[in-house]
Amino acid sequence: MKFGILVNEGPYNHQASDSAYMFAKAALAKGHEIYRVFFYYDGVNNANKLSEPPSDDRNVIKRWSELAKEHKLDLVVCVAAALRRGIKDELLAEGFRISGLGQLIESGIQCDRQVVFGD
Amino acid sequence: MPGIDEPDYDSGVVKKFMYVNRKAPFGTIYALEVLEMVLISAAFEQDVHLAFVDDGVYQIKKGQDTKGIGMKSFLPTYRALEGYDIEKLYVEKESLEERGLTADDLVVPVEVIDRAAMAELIDSMDVVLSG
């Protein structure tokens, strides 16, 4: 199945990003396709490479970058939501790109399921 | 609202999109950013539906003035949706009643449906996005 993923909340403050990551990983392991992961609302903070969690905790941002590298995932950060929150190109962790909301709508059109993680 | 990008591709596919609004308008940014998604999906010529449930019904309540909280009001955008051919607005009857509201208290014409009908409607959608 072809999945689109939407992450609506920031890292650490909320479990949404962790759940989305685990869902993506499990889906890929079962041979499904992840068409795109789109980050919206405070979810855009998942792309901030300046994030530095304590060393004994998971690194949410790095984990997305690594998964993207391994599976050639398309990680897209909404430009309007990102600009509001100070997330710009120079802050992007590896594997993320900034683009418009149209990328989310296109994902909804193209995918068999659009799965939303957030409140 | 920011300008609407013209979609750079035409899939020819029209899906039923639903935006489920569940939160009051100004305490969090969800209502405003849902509106931005709504307008883009209209630009992609999708079949757009909006649902208002729980505190989401307050988003379209008449007589709100944001001057005192220093925020820009996006309430006029709801009234402008018609201009983008977005006319499928549904409000959950129970959510209105629980808050002492009726359809007359709302800034836009809506269809009021009960909780069971709302569940059925959401179930009939292709893509459900919430805020």
Side-chain angles (χ1 to χ4, degrees), chain B residues 44-61:
Chain B
F44 273 74
E45 294 181 340
Q46 298 300 299
D47 185 9
V48 180
H49 304 68
L50 271 76
F52 297 89
V53 299
D54 301 342
D55 276 351
V57 300
Y58 287 125
Q59 290 180 19
I60 48 174
K61 189 185 167 296

Side-chain angles (χ1 to χ4, degrees), chain A residues 15-34:
Chain A
Q15 197 185 354
S17 184
D18 295 272
S19 303
Y21 170 80
M22 285 170 192
F23 178 89
K25 221 177 148 179
L28 289 163
K30 288 273 183 191
H32 297 292
E33 181 191 344
I34 304 292

Side-chain angles (χ1 to χ4, degrees), chain A residues 24-46:
Chain A
K25 221 177 148 179
L28 289 163
K30 288 273 183 191
H32 297 292
E33 181 191 344
I34 304 292
Y35 179 75
R36 179 170 295 144
V37 185
F38 194 84
F39 296 85
Y40 196 47
Y41 305 105
D42 273 358
V44 299
N45 291 307
N46 285 288

